[in-house]
Amino acid sequence: MNPNQQILFDVPGPRAQRRIRVATVLGALAILGGIAWAVHQFASHGELAAERWQPFTTWPIWRYLLDALWATLLAAAATAVLSGALGLLLALGRLSAHRPLRWLAGAYVEVFRTVPALLLVYITLFALPKYGLNFPLFWKLVVPLVVSNAAAFAEIFRAGIKALDRGQTEAGLAIGLRRGQVMRLVVLPQALLRLTPSLVSQLVGLLKDTSLGFVVSYTELLYSGQVLASYTHLLIQTFLVVALIYLVVNASLSKLARVLQARNGRLTTRGRSAAREPAATPLTPGSTAR
């Protein structure tokens, strides 16, 4: 197990591992049973007939869905960049030595971690235009998602910074760096490297949040699937294809997070091993290496 994971929970013993394996097998059987029952129901109602899937073998349908996927990824990318930047500022604010700044950042995080993103979308869509803030369609989705996800990113950044050894900060101060320079040059690069898997995992949830675009009629994947289903009258087939697209994209992000986590674990282990190795004794004139 990755050393960073051991901080979050204890390694299960043999008995707990047996219970976990049994629960995993039972859960897998339940999922397979549910899938078999769903396939049987679809087949009995003719939903698996070839002619009902034939439209999804044509390029115009896939071009429409891929355009919607691109709109989804564009909204997710804009949300990720803006909420990540705002989250980093909030994390630094919560760690600030100035009490008012620390209080304001903490209040923002605690409030918007509990407010549903859908409510923020409704506020952006219906309330703000009454006060002259009528955003373009793209930003009616992105702005509330940024406000909501910034709080989550702030907690990720804050946890990563606080988990870093305090000796890093003390070493930076000892060589004459100011606190701002220590944070920028020493602490943040190491914290961000360790947090990369968590940040990628957060992107999975952020990508799913873009499905709220149907509220503002933004042509993301789910909204486009609704339009396509009403046009083709193939509700089940359309949403199964949309779900498959979401599954492929989110599974790719999850795989990336696991790869980065394993890579960071190897780098951490390698760094600790190098730190434990004794320094080589320099050779002096007349001495020989042993």
Side-chain angles (χ1 to χ4, degrees):
M1 178 177 291
N2 191 316
N4 293 330
Q5 294 176 333
Q6 296 178 5
I7 301 175
L8 302 178
F9 58 88
D10 294 331
V11 179
R15 184 175 301 176
Q17 290 180 0
R18 285 195 297 270
R19 288 198 295 265
I20 291 173
R21 285 194 293 267
V22 171
T24 301
V25 171
L26 293 177
L29 291 176
I31 292 174
L32 291 176
I35 293 175
W37 178 82
V39 170
H40 174 72
Q41 292 296 317
F42 289 157
S44 63
H45 290 82
E47 298 294 345
L48 299 182
E51 61 271 12
R52 298 188 69 82
W53 293 91
Q54 191 276 333
F56 297 96
T57 63
T58 61
W59 171 242
I61 293 292
W62 278 104
R63 183 176 60 185
Y64 179 75
L65 291 175
L66 291 176
D67 287 342
L69 176 61
W70 170 249
T72 299
L73 295 177
L74 187 62
T79 303
V81 171
L82 295 176
S83 58
L86 179 57
L88 181 58
L89 292 177
L90 289 170
L92 295 177
R94 296 201 70 179
L95 297 172
S96 174
H98 301 285
R99 182 175 297 179
L101 183 58
R102 191 167 63 245
W103 185 87
L104 288 174
Y108 179 99
V109 171
E110 295 302 326
V111 169
F112 288 106
R113 284 177 63 193
T114 57
V115 175
L118 180 59
L119 178 59
L120 297 177
V121 173
Y122 281 134
I123 292 174
T124 306
L125 182 61
F126 298 116
L128 293 185
K130 295 181 180 180
Y131 300 96
L133 294 175
N134 193 7
F135 298 114
L137 194 60
F138 176 79
W139 295 105
K140 285 182 179 179
L141 173 62
V142 171
V143 168
L145 293 185
V146 169
V147 172
S148 177
N149 282 274
F153 276 107
E155 287 300 277
I156 293 175
F157 287 129
R158 186 173 74 95
I161 293 172
K162 289 182 69 68
L164 201 63
D165 186 8
R166 291 185 59 184
Q168 301 289 331
T169 301
E170 294 171 356
L173 295 174
I175 62 175
L177 296 177
R178 295 188 297 272
R179 287 195 174 273
Q181 292 176 318
V182 171
M183 180 63 69
R184 188 178 73 254
L185 301 176
V186 179
V187 175
L188 281 181
Q190 298 183 66
L192 291 177
L193 180 63
R194 295 185 178 186
L195 290 174
T196 302
S198 299
L199 295 175
V200 175
S201 298
Q202 178 66 23
L203 292 180
V204 175
L206 189 154
L207 183 67
K208 291 186 291 186
D209 286 345
T210 58
S211 61
L212 296 175
F214 79 92
V215 178
V216 299
S217 300
Y218 177 69
T219 55
E220 47 79 39
L221 188 56
L222 183 60
Y223 178 78
S224 298
Q226 291 177 328
V227 174
L228 183 61
S230 63
Y231 175 76
T232 61
H233 304 290
L234 299 173
L235 180 66
I236 293 177
Q237 291 76 10
T238 299
F239 282 108
L240 283 177
V241 171
V242 169
L244 179 62
I245 295 174
Y246 273 117
L247 179 63
V248 170
V249 175
N250 288 332
S252 301
L253 288 175
S254 299
K255 176 62 176 178
L256 176 61
R258 289 193 296 269
V259 170
L260 292 174
Q261 187 174 17
R263 178 176 176 272
N264 287 349
R266 289 194 298 269
L267 290 175
T268 301
T269 303
R270 190 180 306 167
R272 291 177 177 176
S273 300
R276 286 195 296 264
E277 292 179 359
T281 303
L283 296 179
T284 56
S287 62
T288 57
R290 296 182 180 179

